[in-house]
Amino acid sequence: MLKSIRTITIMSCLMLPLASYGASGGDAKTDQKLTAKIQKAIAKDYSLKADAGTVSVTVQNGDVTLKGTVRSDERRVDIAGVAEVVLLRKVPDERIHTAVVHNQLTVSH
């Protein structure tokens, strides 16, 4: 019985940040705003500007996915870094450890 209570308590602590994020801002409007902020940040970065038009940014429930083709692996990593910075500034504090950027960018040869 004690083990079951402990497990339920631990699971509740782990799920609370996700539930509170969904209730406080994981909606489509918030996702659209975050998408726009990430796209703008990539376009404003002088070193990434050339690849900004080939990068697709989608946000669903606060998780970011980057798709498209870039010119180098360095730019692939840098674009993901910009997305992470914007994401970490915008997600609620309790969601920071579960916020994710899925980097599916490919390098053109």
XYZ file of all heavy atoms in Angstrom:
816
model
N 0.825 -1.197 0.000
C 0.000 0.000 0.000
C 0.862 1.251 0.000
O 0.628 2.168 -0.749
C -0.932 -0.045 1.214
C -1.823 1.157 1.328
S -3.105 1.044 0.088
C -4.158 2.314 0.632
N 1.880 1.274 0.861
C 2.766 2.425 0.953
C 3.505 2.645 -0.366
O 3.674 3.777 -0.818
C 3.762 2.240 2.098
C 4.690 3.414 2.398
C 3.865 4.669 2.700
C 5.570 3.092 3.576
N 3.907 1.543 -0.999
C 4.600 1.641 -2.290
C 3.679 2.241 -3.349
O 4.094 3.067 -4.152
C 5.088 0.265 -2.721
C 5.924 0.299 -3.960
C 6.467 -1.073 -4.283
C 7.336 -1.000 -5.525
N 7.903 -2.293 -5.871
N 2.419 1.869 -3.353
C 1.452 2.419 -4.306
C 1.249 3.914 -4.087
O 1.190 4.694 -5.043
C 0.110 1.709 -4.182
O 0.237 0.363 -4.518
N 1.154 4.318 -2.856
C 0.973 5.742 -2.542
C 2.197 6.530 -2.990
O 2.087 7.598 -3.584
C 0.702 5.948 -1.036
C -0.663 5.354 -0.688
C 0.771 7.432 -0.664
C -0.963 5.315 0.798
N 3.378 5.993 -2.739
C 4.618 6.654 -3.141
C 4.677 6.787 -4.670
O 5.035 7.835 -5.193
C 5.815 5.872 -2.631
C 7.120 6.597 -2.876
C 8.323 5.878 -2.317
N 8.033 5.204 -1.071
C 8.621 4.095 -0.652
N 9.559 3.543 -1.373
N 8.304 3.537 0.490
N 4.302 5.736 -5.384
C 4.311 5.766 -6.844
C 3.329 6.811 -7.373
O 3.656 7.576 -8.276
C 3.954 4.374 -7.413
O 4.897 3.435 -6.917
C 3.982 4.384 -8.927
N 2.152 6.849 -6.810
C 1.151 7.839 -7.231
C 1.648 9.253 -6.954
O 1.507 10.147 -7.791
C -0.198 7.575 -6.525
C -0.813 6.277 -7.047
C -1.153 8.758 -6.728
C -2.000 5.789 -6.260
N 2.269 9.466 -5.817
C 2.794 10.779 -5.471
C 3.883 11.200 -6.447
O 3.896 12.329 -6.937
C 3.349 10.783 -4.030
O 2.314 10.387 -3.143
C 3.878 12.151 -3.648
N 4.799 10.309 -6.757
C 5.885 10.617 -7.694
C 5.322 10.914 -9.075
O 5.712 11.888 -9.722
C 6.903 9.460 -7.744
C 7.663 9.401 -6.419
C 7.875 9.635 -8.907
C 8.535 8.175 -6.257
N 4.402 10.105 -9.543
C 3.807 10.322 -10.868
C 3.063 11.651 -10.917
O 3.121 12.366 -11.915
C 2.867 9.166 -11.239
C 3.590 7.856 -11.480
S 4.849 7.963 -12.768
C 3.818 8.204 -14.190
N 2.387 12.008 -9.849
C 1.676 13.286 -9.800
C 2.646 14.445 -9.903
O 2.387 15.424 -10.603
C 0.872 13.409 -8.506
O -0.113 12.407 -8.443
N 3.765 14.347 -9.225
C 4.776 15.404 -9.287
C 5.365 15.528 -10.686
O 5.669 16.621 -11.144
C 5.891 15.142 -8.288
S 5.370 15.342 -6.578
N 5.522 14.410 -11.372
C 6.076 14.444 -12.720
C 5.074 14.969 -13.739
O 5.446 15.640 -14.695
C 6.541 13.044 -13.134
C 7.726 12.485 -12.359
C 7.988 11.035 -12.762
C 8.963 13.330 -12.575
N 3.810 14.666 -13.565
C 2.795 15.056 -14.534
C 2.271 16.468 -14.330
O 1.776 17.089 -15.250
C 1.628 14.067 -14.503
C 2.010 12.662 -14.917
S 2.774 12.577 -16.549
C 1.368 12.904 -17.567
N 2.389 17.013 -13.139
C 1.861 18.338 -12.846
C 2.393 19.414 -13.777
O 1.615 20.214 -14.303
C 2.099 18.701 -11.385
C 1.524 20.043 -10.941
C 0.003 20.046 -11.127
C 1.879 20.318 -9.497
N 3.707 19.481 -14.042
C 4.171 20.530 -14.951
C 3.536 20.436 -16.336
O 3.180 21.446 -16.925
C 5.682 20.297 -15.031
C 6.014 19.610 -13.762
C 4.807 18.757 -13.449
N 3.371 19.239 -16.860
C 2.751 19.087 -18.175
C 1.289 19.487 -18.146
O 0.803 20.160 -19.052
C 2.881 17.636 -18.656
C 4.288 17.184 -18.986
C 4.282 15.699 -19.331
C 4.863 17.993 -20.121
N 0.588 19.099 -17.123
C -0.826 19.440 -17.020
C -1.013 20.937 -16.860
O -1.882 21.535 -17.487
C -1.450 18.703 -15.833
N -0.178 21.560 -16.072
C -0.327 23.002 -15.874
C 0.049 23.759 -17.132
O -0.519 24.799 -17.430
C 0.500 23.474 -14.682
O 1.869 23.306 -14.922
N 1.006 23.249 -17.909
C 1.346 23.916 -19.164
C 0.170 23.833 -20.131
O -0.205 24.799 -20.753
C 2.593 23.309 -19.810
C 2.911 23.974 -21.126
C 3.404 25.264 -21.154
C 2.671 23.334 -22.334
C 3.672 25.900 -22.341
C 2.943 23.952 -23.522
C 3.439 25.230 -23.521
O 3.696 25.852 -24.715
N -0.425 22.667 -20.221
C -1.570 22.508 -21.113
C -2.722 23.404 -20.717
O -3.401 23.972 -21.557
N -2.921 23.592 -19.436
C -4.020 24.429 -18.969
C -3.711 25.910 -19.105
O -4.603 26.718 -19.250
C -4.309 24.104 -17.497
N -2.427 26.276 -19.101
C -2.099 27.692 -19.078
C -1.498 28.221 -20.358
O -1.133 29.376 -20.416
C -1.121 27.967 -17.936
O 0.123 27.356 -18.226
N -1.328 27.417 -21.389
C -0.752 28.008 -22.573
C -0.377 27.039 -23.663
O 0.296 27.415 -24.591
N -0.757 25.807 -23.591
C -0.433 24.858 -24.633
C -1.462 24.867 -25.744
O -1.666 23.881 -26.401
N -2.110 26.007 -25.978
C -3.149 26.073 -26.990
C -2.577 26.504 -28.338
O -1.411 26.867 -28.456
C -4.274 27.005 -26.541
C -3.807 28.442 -26.323
O -2.640 28.760 -26.626
O -4.617 29.243 -25.845
N -3.405 26.440 -29.366
C -2.966 26.739 -30.724
C -2.477 28.177 -30.868
O -1.489 28.436 -31.558
C -4.109 26.465 -31.701
N -3.122 29.119 -30.205
C -2.714 30.522 -30.307
C -1.315 30.725 -29.712
O -0.485 31.423 -30.293
C -3.736 31.411 -29.596
C -3.562 32.871 -29.872
C -4.725 33.657 -29.299
C -4.617 35.117 -29.703
N -5.749 35.892 -29.225
N -1.057 30.125 -28.584
C 0.264 30.208 -27.961
C 1.310 29.545 -28.848
O 2.413 30.073 -29.026
C 0.247 29.541 -26.578
O -0.747 30.183 -25.773
C 1.590 29.636 -25.892
N 0.971 28.405 -29.430
C 1.889 27.713 -30.334
C 2.198 28.574 -31.562
O 3.345 28.642 -32.007
C 1.310 26.369 -30.772
C 1.312 25.336 -29.652
O 1.998 25.555 -28.635
O 0.616 24.314 -29.809
N 1.195 29.257 -32.103
C 1.406 30.135 -33.261
C 2.328 31.289 -32.919
O 3.202 31.650 -33.704
C 0.067 30.667 -33.778
C -0.788 29.624 -34.454
C -2.180 30.153 -34.787
O -2.595 31.209 -34.339
N -2.898 29.389 -35.596
N 2.144 31.873 -31.752
C 3.008 32.976 -31.324
C 4.453 32.502 -31.172
O 5.385 33.191 -31.584
C 2.515 33.569 -30.004
C 1.260 34.396 -30.144
C 0.851 34.958 -28.791
C -0.437 35.745 -28.881
N -0.819 36.307 -27.574
N 4.625 31.335 -30.581
C 5.962 30.794 -30.398
C 6.610 30.483 -31.751
O 7.791 30.769 -31.957
C 5.913 29.546 -29.519
C 7.247 28.905 -29.154
C 8.185 29.908 -28.477
C 7.012 27.708 -28.243
N 5.845 29.939 -32.675
C 6.343 29.673 -34.028
C 6.846 30.958 -34.662
O 7.956 31.011 -35.211
C 5.239 29.047 -34.905
O 4.840 27.800 -34.333
C 5.717 28.819 -36.326
N 6.048 32.009 -34.599
C 6.422 33.298 -35.194
C 7.682 33.868 -34.541
O 8.561 34.404 -35.232
C 5.266 34.283 -35.075
N 7.790 33.759 -33.231
C 8.969 34.284 -32.523
C 10.233 33.534 -32.929
O 11.291 34.138 -33.104
C 8.756 34.218 -31.015
C 7.779 35.249 -30.509
C 7.656 35.195 -29.003
C 6.575 36.111 -28.501
N 6.881 37.512 -28.597
N 10.137 32.223 -33.088
C 11.303 31.432 -33.492
C 11.695 31.773 -34.925
O 12.880 31.992 -35.223
C 11.036 29.923 -33.325
C 10.910 29.582 -31.839
C 12.136 29.088 -33.979
C 10.417 28.176 -31.556
N 10.718 31.859 -35.832
C 11.019 32.209 -37.221
C 11.671 33.588 -37.313
O 12.641 33.780 -38.055
C 9.735 32.176 -38.066
C 9.224 30.771 -38.283
C 7.839 30.737 -38.918
O 7.026 31.634 -38.721
N 7.575 29.686 -39.669
N 11.162 34.532 -36.546
C 11.708 35.884 -36.545
C 13.138 35.889 -36.009
O 14.018 36.550 -36.555
C 10.819 36.803 -35.707
C 11.227 38.246 -35.746
C 10.239 39.103 -34.968
C 10.650 40.566 -35.003
N 9.705 41.406 -34.255
N 13.392 35.139 -34.949
C 14.730 35.079 -34.362
C 15.743 34.472 -35.338
O 16.878 34.948 -35.437
C 14.706 34.278 -33.060
N 15.333 33.457 -36.076
C 16.225 32.843 -37.074
C 16.508 33.837 -38.189
O 17.658 34.003 -38.611
C 15.617 31.534 -37.629
C 15.546 30.470 -36.529
C 16.427 31.015 -38.819
C 14.709 29.253 -36.891
N 15.477 34.526 -38.666
C 15.638 35.491 -39.758
C 16.487 36.694 -39.344
O 17.190 37.273 -40.175
C 14.273 35.947 -40.248
N 16.440 37.075 -38.067
C 17.207 38.219 -37.580
C 18.687 37.908 -37.388
O 19.516 38.810 -37.379
C 16.621 38.730 -36.256
C 15.365 39.544 -36.418
C 14.795 39.970 -35.101
C 15.751 40.858 -34.334
N 15.166 41.369 -33.077
N 19.014 36.632 -37.229
C 20.409 36.239 -37.026
C 21.146 36.326 -38.361
O 20.853 35.590 -39.300
C 20.477 34.823 -36.459
C 21.873 34.414 -36.052
O 22.815 34.561 -36.865
O 22.026 33.950 -34.910
N 22.116 37.221 -38.436
C 22.821 37.485 -39.698
C 23.432 36.217 -40.291
O 23.364 36.008 -41.503
C 23.899 38.556 -39.475
C 24.645 38.903 -40.727
C 24.071 39.718 -41.685
C 25.920 38.393 -40.957
C 24.736 40.034 -42.853
C 26.606 38.698 -42.125
C 26.014 39.520 -43.062
O 26.680 39.824 -44.211
N 24.018 35.371 -39.462
C 24.690 34.176 -39.973
C 23.715 33.091 -40.438
O 24.110 32.165 -41.149
C 25.640 33.604 -38.919
O 24.909 33.125 -37.809
N 22.446 33.199 -40.044
C 21.456 32.174 -40.402
C 20.439 32.656 -41.426
O 19.632 31.879 -41.913
C 20.725 31.704 -39.137
C 21.603 31.173 -38.011
C 20.756 30.838 -36.805
C 22.409 29.977 -38.473
N 20.490 33.940 -41.739
C 19.507 34.576 -42.609
C 19.338 33.845 -43.950
O 18.232 33.692 -44.451
C 19.918 36.029 -42.854
C 18.797 36.940 -43.218
C 19.305 38.358 -43.403
C 19.291 39.066 -42.072
N 19.441 40.516 -42.203
N 20.444 33.379 -44.524
C 20.399 32.713 -45.830
C 19.594 31.416 -45.799
O 19.000 31.022 -46.796
C 21.811 32.433 -46.322
N 19.554 30.749 -44.652
C 18.823 29.482 -44.534
C 17.420 29.644 -43.952
O 16.651 28.687 -43.922
C 19.609 28.500 -43.670
C 20.846 27.973 -44.376
O 20.712 27.520 -45.520
O 21.931 28.026 -43.780
N 17.085 30.838 -43.494
C 15.798 31.054 -42.815
C 14.607 30.681 -43.697
O 13.618 30.136 -43.204
C 15.684 32.499 -42.352
N 14.696 30.929 -44.986
C 13.587 30.641 -45.888
C 13.360 29.165 -46.142
O 12.282 28.760 -46.586
N 14.355 28.342 -45.852
C 14.219 26.904 -46.105
C 13.870 26.115 -44.851
O 13.733 24.897 -44.897
C 15.536 26.330 -46.693
O 16.576 26.473 -45.731
C 15.900 27.029 -47.987
N 13.723 26.820 -43.722
C 13.440 26.161 -42.448
C 11.961 26.305 -42.100
O 11.420 27.405 -42.094
C 14.306 26.756 -41.315
C 13.912 26.173 -39.977
C 15.775 26.529 -41.598
N 11.343 25.186 -41.829
C 9.953 25.164 -41.394
C 9.922 24.934 -39.891
O 10.540 24.005 -39.380
C 9.218 24.027 -42.115
O 7.973 23.784 -41.512
N 9.203 25.816 -39.192
C 9.080 25.709 -37.740
C 7.628 25.391 -37.408
O 6.723 26.101 -37.839
C 9.484 27.028 -37.049
C 9.320 26.911 -35.539
C 10.901 27.437 -37.417
N 7.415 24.319 -36.674
C 6.075 24.012 -36.185
C 6.150 23.807 -34.679
O 7.133 23.295 -34.160
C 5.475 22.754 -36.845
O 6.361 21.655 -36.649
C 5.233 22.947 -38.322
N 5.100 24.245 -34.010
C 5.017 24.082 -32.560
C 3.682 23.438 -32.245
O 2.637 23.881 -32.720
C 5.136 25.437 -31.826
C 5.043 25.240 -30.329
C 6.430 26.146 -32.205
N 3.733 22.376 -31.464
C 2.518 21.698 -31.039
C 2.623 21.425 -29.551
O 3.548 20.741 -29.108
C 2.308 20.400 -31.807
C 0.991 19.743 -31.486
C 0.710 18.570 -32.409
O 1.568 18.089 -33.122
N -0.514 18.108 -32.377
N 1.708 22.009 -28.789
C 1.708 21.887 -27.329
C 3.047 22.300 -26.724
O 3.512 21.714 -25.759
C 1.337 20.474 -26.896
C -0.055 20.109 -27.303
O -0.961 20.931 -27.244
N -0.246 18.882 -27.749
N 3.677 23.297 -27.344
C 4.930 23.821 -26.819
C 6.178 23.108 -27.287
O 7.277 23.574 -27.047
N 6.048 21.969 -27.970
C 7.214 21.265 -28.506
C 7.486 21.765 -29.921
O 6.576 21.844 -30.749
C 6.982 19.759 -28.532
C 7.035 19.143 -27.146
O 7.631 19.767 -26.248
O 6.484 18.050 -26.965
N 8.740 22.082 -30.193
C 9.151 22.681 -31.461
C 9.735 21.609 -32.371
O 10.539 20.784 -31.935
C 10.214 23.768 -31.217
C 10.686 24.373 -32.525
C 9.679 24.838 -30.280
N 9.357 21.649 -33.656
C 9.950 20.779 -34.665
C 10.498 21.650 -35.784
O 9.791 22.513 -36.311
C 8.921 19.782 -35.235
O 8.395 19.000 -34.153
C 9.551 18.862 -36.262
N 11.754 21.423 -36.131
C 12.411 22.135 -37.225
C 12.597 21.164 -38.382
O 13.132 20.066 -38.198
C 13.784 22.643 -36.771
C 13.813 23.536 -35.542
C 15.250 23.778 -35.105
C 13.108 24.846 -35.831
N 12.162 21.571 -39.578
C 12.328 20.750 -40.780
C 12.852 21.634 -41.898
O 12.631 22.839 -41.902
C 11.000 20.123 -41.209
C 10.468 19.085 -40.263
C 9.187 18.468 -40.799
C 8.661 17.424 -39.821
N 7.421 16.805 -40.317
N 13.500 21.012 -42.845
C 14.009 21.733 -44.001
C 15.447 21.359 -44.285
O 16.007 20.442 -43.689
N 16.037 22.102 -45.217
C 17.405 21.847 -45.644
C 18.242 23.093 -45.424
O 17.821 24.197 -45.769
C 17.431 21.459 -47.139
O 16.559 20.349 -47.340
C 18.818 21.078 -47.586
N 19.417 22.910 -44.844
C 20.344 24.020 -44.596
C 21.682 23.715 -45.264
O 21.924 22.601 -45.709
C 20.529 24.277 -43.090
C 19.219 24.759 -42.473
C 21.020 23.045 -42.365
N 22.560 24.707 -45.297
C 23.815 24.590 -46.042
C 24.936 23.861 -45.313
O 25.879 23.392 -45.947
C 24.300 25.974 -46.439
C 23.336 26.662 -47.361
C 23.776 28.037 -47.689
N 22.689 28.701 -48.412
C 22.841 29.812 -49.060
N 24.003 30.420 -49.080
N 21.821 30.344 -49.690
N 24.876 23.793 -43.995
C 25.963 23.126 -43.266
C 25.438 22.567 -41.938
O 24.391 22.988 -41.443
C 27.104 24.110 -42.987
O 26.713 25.082 -42.053
N 26.209 21.641 -41.398
C 25.840 21.064 -40.109
C 25.936 22.124 -39.010
O 25.149 22.109 -38.069
C 26.740 19.868 -39.778
C 26.167 19.016 -38.671
O 24.960 18.680 -38.746
O 26.907 18.701 -37.723
N 26.877 23.046 -39.154
C 27.013 24.129 -38.178
C 25.737 24.979 -38.130
O 25.238 25.320 -37.054
C 28.216 25.001 -38.522
C 28.436 26.132 -37.546
C 29.645 26.962 -37.926
O 29.509 27.808 -38.835
O 30.701 26.750 -37.310
N 25.196 25.299 -39.288
C 23.951 26.077 -39.330
C 22.785 25.268 -38.776
O 21.891 25.809 -38.136
C 23.657 26.542 -40.747
C 24.578 27.644 -41.183
C 24.187 28.181 -42.515
N 25.132 29.214 -42.918
C 25.048 29.875 -44.047
N 24.074 29.614 -44.898
N 25.933 30.793 -44.347
N 22.780 23.984 -39.032
C 21.731 23.102 -38.493
C 21.708 23.196 -36.971
O 20.652 23.358 -36.358
C 22.020 21.667 -38.955
C 21.061 20.639 -38.478
C 21.510 19.229 -38.947
N 20.640 18.233 -38.401
C 20.749 17.713 -37.180
N 21.717 18.086 -36.380
N 19.898 16.818 -36.760
N 22.890 23.128 -36.368
C 23.011 23.192 -34.912
C 22.674 24.604 -34.406
O 21.986 24.766 -33.398
C 24.433 22.764 -34.475
C 24.666 23.020 -33.000
C 24.667 21.297 -34.807
N 23.140 25.628 -35.121
C 22.892 27.009 -34.705
C 21.406 27.366 -34.751
O 20.906 28.047 -33.854
C 23.686 27.995 -35.574
C 25.178 27.932 -35.303
O 25.590 27.325 -34.289
O 25.940 28.491 -36.118
N 20.710 26.894 -35.759
C 19.269 27.164 -35.863
C 18.525 26.496 -34.710
O 17.638 27.095 -34.092
C 18.722 26.722 -37.238
C 19.247 27.674 -38.317
C 17.195 26.669 -37.242
C 18.984 27.226 -39.741
N 18.900 25.270 -34.403
C 18.285 24.584 -33.258
C 18.579 25.337 -31.965
O 17.715 25.451 -31.090
C 18.780 23.147 -33.164
N 19.779 25.884 -31.849
C 20.134 26.655 -30.665
C 19.285 27.907 -30.512
O 18.835 28.233 -29.409
N 19.039 28.604 -31.621
C 18.181 29.787 -31.583
C 16.774 29.395 -31.149
O 16.161 30.058 -30.310
C 18.161 30.491 -32.968
C 17.068 31.546 -33.037
C 19.516 31.111 -33.262
N 16.262 28.295 -31.704
C 14.921 27.826 -31.340
C 14.856 27.482 -29.850
O 13.870 27.801 -29.176
C 14.537 26.620 -32.189
N 15.883 26.855 -29.328
C 15.913 26.490 -27.907
C 15.906 27.723 -27.014
O 15.204 27.758 -26.008
C 17.134 25.626 -27.605
C 17.027 24.225 -28.147
C 18.297 23.416 -27.971
O 19.278 23.922 -27.381
O 18.314 22.275 -28.440
N 16.683 28.735 -27.390
C 16.731 29.963 -26.595
C 15.356 30.612 -26.533
O 14.872 30.993 -25.467
C 17.788 30.942 -27.157
C 17.638 32.328 -26.546
C 19.185 30.402 -26.920
N 14.698 30.736 -27.688
C 13.364 31.343 -27.725
C 12.381 30.496 -26.921
O 11.596 31.023 -26.129
C 12.869 31.522 -29.176
C 11.430 31.997 -29.212
C 13.779 32.488 -29.930
N 12.430 29.189 -27.105
C 11.526 28.295 -26.388
C 11.698 28.430 -24.880
O 10.717 28.569 -24.146
C 11.773 26.849 -26.819
C 10.964 25.767 -26.096
C 9.473 25.953 -26.341
C 11.412 24.388 -26.544
N 12.922 28.424 -24.416
C 13.162 28.490 -22.974
C 12.751 29.833 -22.379
O 12.408 29.906 -21.211
C 14.626 28.180 -22.665
C 15.026 26.737 -22.940
C 16.514 26.534 -22.677
C 14.204 25.758 -22.117
N 12.758 30.883 -23.187
C 12.294 32.192 -22.707
C 10.781 32.241 -22.592
O 10.243 33.017 -21.811
C 12.736 33.297 -23.660
C 14.184 33.636 -23.578
C 14.491 34.798 -24.483
N 15.915 35.011 -24.587
C 16.506 35.603 -25.598
N 15.781 36.057 -26.611
N 17.803 35.764 -25.614
N 10.083 31.442 -23.377
C 8.627 31.565 -23.476
C 7.834 30.514 -22.722
O 6.669 30.726 -22.435
C 8.201 31.549 -24.959
C 8.762 32.710 -25.748
C 8.321 34.025 -25.163
C 8.993 35.200 -25.825
N 8.697 36.458 -25.163
N 8.420 29.360 -22.442
C 7.644 28.334 -21.742
C 7.575 28.653 -20.256
O 8.482 29.282 -19.711
C 8.208 26.904 -21.949
C 8.167 26.502 -23.392
C 9.590 26.754 -21.373
N 6.529 28.232 -19.597
C 6.438 28.439 -18.144
C 7.597 27.738 -17.435
O 8.089 26.710 -17.894
C 5.103 27.784 -17.775
C 4.333 27.710 -19.046
C 5.344 27.574 -20.142
N 8.019 28.288 -16.319
C 9.163 27.743 -15.580
C 9.017 26.263 -15.263
O 9.981 25.505 -15.354
C 9.373 28.516 -14.270
C 9.888 29.920 -14.516
O 10.406 30.194 -15.622
O 9.765 30.748 -13.592
N 7.821 25.846 -14.925
C 7.637 24.444 -14.551
C 7.728 23.499 -15.753
O 7.810 22.300 -15.603
C 6.307 24.232 -13.814
C 5.077 24.481 -14.648
C 4.602 25.928 -14.635
O 5.268 26.783 -14.035
O 3.553 26.197 -15.246
N 7.753 24.022 -16.970
C 7.805 23.197 -18.176
C 9.199 23.174 -18.809
O 9.457 22.445 -19.748
C 6.759 23.733 -19.173
C 6.741 23.106 -20.546
C 5.892 21.890 -20.647
N 5.526 21.384 -21.933
C 6.299 21.097 -22.951
N 7.548 21.353 -22.938
N 5.812 20.560 -24.047
N 10.140 23.944 -18.275
C 11.460 24.077 -18.891
C 12.162 22.739 -19.073
O 12.775 22.493 -20.101
C 12.339 25.068 -18.090
C 11.885 26.475 -18.419
C 13.817 24.881 -18.379
C 12.669 27.570 -17.802
N 12.054 21.848 -18.121
C 12.767 20.573 -18.212
C 12.113 19.586 -19.169
O 12.721 18.567 -19.497
C 12.913 19.947 -16.823
C 13.737 20.785 -15.906
N 15.076 21.008 -16.091
C 13.399 21.499 -14.810
C 15.535 21.811 -15.148
N 14.528 22.123 -14.351
N 10.919 19.871 -19.634
C 10.253 18.964 -20.565
C 10.051 19.586 -21.943
O 9.557 18.923 -22.844
C 8.886 18.512 -20.008
O 8.070 19.667 -19.777
C 9.060 17.721 -18.731
N 10.428 20.856 -22.114
C 10.313 21.513 -23.422
C 11.357 20.925 -24.367
O 12.499 20.703 -23.967
C 10.510 23.016 -23.269
N 10.959 20.683 -25.615
C 11.835 19.981 -26.551
C 11.866 20.678 -27.899
O 10.838 21.151 -28.398
C 11.346 18.528 -26.757
C 12.216 17.791 -27.750
C 11.291 17.781 -25.444
N 13.067 20.708 -28.505
C 13.224 21.117 -29.898
C 13.659 19.871 -30.662
O 14.707 19.297 -30.382
C 14.278 22.238 -30.062
C 14.521 22.519 -31.538
C 13.831 23.501 -29.349
N 12.819 19.459 -31.615
C 13.132 18.308 -32.460
C 13.810 18.843 -33.721
O 13.157 19.481 -34.551
C 11.861 17.535 -32.838
C 11.087 17.069 -31.645
N 11.427 15.937 -30.943
C 10.001 17.589 -31.029
C 10.573 15.775 -29.948
N 9.705 16.761 -29.975
N 15.100 18.595 -33.845
C 15.862 19.106 -34.981
C 15.875 18.063 -36.091
O 16.649 17.119 -36.069
C 17.283 19.445 -34.539
C 18.067 20.155 -35.616
O 17.644 20.231 -36.759
N 19.217 20.675 -35.250
N 15.005 18.266 -37.083
C 14.929 17.358 -38.224
C 15.481 18.017 -39.482
O 15.167 17.614 -40.601
C 13.480 16.906 -38.431
C 12.932 16.134 -37.267
C 11.474 15.739 -37.424
O 10.835 16.034 -38.422
N 10.926 15.100 -36.407
N 16.308 19.037 -39.292
C 16.934 19.717 -40.425
C 17.959 18.804 -41.076
O 18.663 18.054 -40.391
C 17.609 21.009 -39.966
C 16.697 22.080 -39.403
C 17.520 23.198 -38.777
C 15.798 22.628 -40.494
N 18.063 18.883 -42.393
C 19.072 18.111 -43.121
C 20.035 19.076 -43.795
O 19.710 20.225 -44.051
C 18.425 17.194 -44.176
O 17.647 17.990 -45.072
C 17.523 16.157 -43.526
N 21.229 18.579 -44.095
C 22.258 19.391 -44.731
C 22.281 19.058 -46.212
O 22.342 17.879 -46.594
C 23.630 19.112 -44.092
C 24.725 19.910 -44.779
C 23.596 19.403 -42.602
N 22.222 20.106 -47.041
C 22.287 19.893 -48.489
C 23.744 19.713 -48.889
O 24.649 20.297 -48.302
C 21.666 21.069 -49.240
O 22.413 22.245 -49.007
N 23.961 18.898 -49.883
C 25.344 18.644 -50.353
C 25.518 19.087 -51.771
O 24.733 19.113 -52.583
C 25.684 17.153 -50.247
C 25.653 16.667 -48.820
N 26.594 17.044 -47.905
C 24.791 15.859 -48.173
C 26.312 16.466 -46.748
N 25.223 15.744 -46.891
